[in-house]
């Protein structure tokens, strides 16, 4: 199946700094990628939909200025957590759907665990 | 708005036995996809099985099968011959057929397998 890679898998940062997480589709092009946040033992919460070459669409309640999303190419989307605070500590997961397919499934990255001290 | 409900937070099954995980959903769409995803301790989301709403036949993937009841908006997952490696969180998910539509997840269920 298609492979989606996230980097870094784990990151620890100090409060007030910014952290960038990359999501790459390794063997397919993805016009759309999705970013999720997941707390322990809970479901995935969609944060935003990332569209190649255009602005991301954020879900209600997600701060656009806090979580910057850039989808600069058909294989790369980035999530930047700006001025991170301890409450931003979480597990972030991206997913992507191959371009040109109406097929159902999304392919998920391995996730990135962010810890803000 | 579409919703996906998994009412059981946890289930346990004896190794080699069969277990059924329940899921209901609500939608006004007539054409859509339903999925079961597995999330093991590694946190990697793995697609277990997919069902297309216009197909009446229940999807099957080796030991995994679904009972899709469109009128009742029910989509349960049956795991046969349970193995220790099946222990994970399982999420039921829904997506309308239209391109670039969002995936809506249920709250998930934690399945443990007793040796």
């Amino acid at each position: 199946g298609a492979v989606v890679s996230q980097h870094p898998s784990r990151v620890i940062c100090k409060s007030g700094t910014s952290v960038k997480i990359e999501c790459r589709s390794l063997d397919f092009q993805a016009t759309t990628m999705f970013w999720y946040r997941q707390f322990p033992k809970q479901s995935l919460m969609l944060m935003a939909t990332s569209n190649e070459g255009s602005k991301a669409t954020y879900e209600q309640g997600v701060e656009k200025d806090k979580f910057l999303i850039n989808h600069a190419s058909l294989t790369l989307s980035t999530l930047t957590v700006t001025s991170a605070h301890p409450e931003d500590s979480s597990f972030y997961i991206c997913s992507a759907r191959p371009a040109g397919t109406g097929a159902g499934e999304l392919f998920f990255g391995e996730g990135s665990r962010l810890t803000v001290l | 708005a579409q919703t996906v409900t998994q009412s059981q937070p946890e289930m346990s099954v004896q190794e080699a036995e069969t277990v059924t995980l329940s899921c209901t959903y609500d939608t006004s769409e007539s054409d859509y996809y339903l999925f079961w995803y597995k999330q093991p301790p590694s946190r990697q989301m793995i697609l277990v099985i997919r069902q297309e709403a216009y197909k009446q036949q229940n999807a099957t993937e080796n030991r995994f099968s679904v009972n899709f009841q469109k009128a009742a908006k029910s989509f349960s997952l049956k795991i046969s011959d349970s193995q220790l490696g099946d222990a994970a969180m399982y999420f039921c998910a829904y997506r309308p057929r239209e391109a670039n539509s969002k995936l809506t997840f249920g709250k998930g269920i934690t399945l443990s397998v007793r040796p």
Side-chain angles (χ1 to χ4, degrees):
Chain A
V3 178
V4 175
S5 177
Q6 262 183 261
H7 179 80
S9 58
R10 293 176 181 268
V11 57
I12 301 172
C13 70
K14 293 182 179 180
S15 185
T17 60
S18 295
V19 174
K20 180 184 286 187
I21 300 170
E22 293 186 346
C23 178
R24 293 181 184 273
S25 55
L26 297 186
D27 51 2
F28 66 95
Q29 294 184 330
T31 53
T32 303
M33 292 184 174
F34 301 89
W35 286 95
Y36 302 85
R37 183 173 181 176
Q38 186 182 30
F39 293 104
K41 298 291 186 181
Q42 294 189 23
S43 189
L44 282 70
M45 180 190 78
L46 181 65
M47 299 174 66
T49 302
S50 170
N51 301 297
E52 188 267 334
S54 64
K55 291 184 179 180
T57 303
Y58 289 82
E59 295 299 301
Q60 191 173 8
V62 178
E63 298 177 60
K64 300 178 182 181
D65 296 331
K66 160 68 80 175
F67 300 101
L68 299 179
I69 292 173
N70 183 270
H71 195 151
S73 77
L74 287 172
T75 59
L76 174 64
S77 176
T78 60
L79 167 68
T80 300
V81 183
T82 62
S83 186
H85 291 283
E87 58 266 29
D88 299 324
S89 298
S90 190
F91 192 68
Y92 294 89
I93 308 175
C94 73
S95 68
R97 180 178 301 126
T101 68
E105 72 260 32
L106 296 177
F107 297 95
F108 286 82
E110 313 95 317
S112 300
R113 182 177 301 283
L114 170 63
T115 302
V116 184
L117 302 177
Chain B
Q2 298 100 358
T3 58
V4 177
T5 302
Q6 294 178 254
S7 56
Q8 307 154 302
E10 297 178 347
M11 284 195 77
S12 179
V13 63
Q14 188 74 37
E15 192 176 7
E17 296 295 310
T18 296
V19 64
T20 298
L21 311 182
S22 63
C23 173
T24 59
Y25 60 95
D26 189 24
T27 182
S28 58
E29 303 284 340
S30 60
D31 199 8
Y32 47 86
Y33 297 100
L34 294 164
F35 309 89
W36 278 97
Y37 280 92
K38 171 184 178 181
Q39 189 180 40
S42 67
R43 307 292 290 272
Q44 173 73 56
M45 294 288 284
I46 301 166
L47 176 67
V48 175
I49 200 163
R50 176 181 75 182
Q51 176 79 43
E52 296 176 73
Y54 70 88
K55 291 185 177 179
Q56 294 184 341
Q57 187 173 6
N58 289 326
T60 299
E61 287 288 342
N62 300 313
R63 297 183 295 109
F64 300 88
S65 62
V66 299
N67 183 1
F68 173 47
Q69 301 291 327
K70 191 172 184 179
K73 296 180 181 174
S74 171
F75 183 62
S76 61
L77 174 70
K78 186 171 80 171
I79 306 175
S80 304
D81 186 25
S82 296
Q83 300 176 0
L84 295 178
D86 294 334
M89 273 199 87
Y90 286 82
F91 294 97
C92 179
Y94 161 95
R95 182 176 88 79
R97 193 175 186 87
E98 60 189 17
N100 298 330
S101 57
K102 297 180 289 188
L103 196 60
T104 300
F105 286 95
K107 289 187 176 182
I109 179 171
T110 300
L111 176 68
S112 59
V113 181
R114 304 186 303 275

